[in-house]
Amino acid sequence: QGNRRMTPDEYRAMCDEIGVSPYRFAEMCGAKPGSRPSWARDGFKSMSVPVAVATAIRVVYAVGTDMNYSEIAAMLREEADVLKSACATE
């Protein structure tokens, strides 16, 4: 699963679930304030969410749900593989 990507729809759904604006979360991940990245916009479908942002939202989402620590640990290992895979393609 080292090549899985997050769609803008998945990203926005997770942001909604944890109660944060997709734009604000993007800014917390380093986007310029007020820049409103295209992948965070409603209806935008042609681009995947940056790998590091997708990892960050998955971690925050996991912590905010009923995942137990062993499930979170497994998810973190999977996310580490995704990030390693992304490094290989840079």
Side-chain angles (χ1 to χ4, degrees), residues 56-72:
I57 192 71
R58 285 182 180 121
V59 170
V60 171
Y61 182 82
V63 171
T65 63
D66 290 335
M67 278 185 143
N68 63 44
Y69 287 158
S70 63
E71 291 171 323
I72 292 173

Side-chain angles (χ1 to χ4, degrees), residues 25-48:
F25 195 85
E27 290 173 2
M28 290 187 293
C29 291
K32 245 185 228 182
S35 66
R36 299 174 56 101
S38 56
W39 44 264
R41 293 184 200 146
D42 205 17
F44 195 84
K45 297 186 184 302
S46 66
M47 176 184 203
S48 61

Side-chain angles (χ1 to χ4, degrees), residues 1-39:
Q1 286 204 5
N3 63 355
R4 79 183 165 140
R5 296 286 188 197
M6 177 177 280
T7 67
D9 287 341
E10 291 170 321
Y11 169 75
R12 286 189 305 277
M14 288 181 128
C15 286
D16 287 346
E17 191 75 26
I18 63 171
V20 67
S21 153
Y23 306 116
R24 181 65 189 124
F25 195 85
E27 290 173 2
M28 290 187 293
C29 291
K32 245 185 228 182
S35 66
R36 299 174 56 101
S38 56
W39 44 264

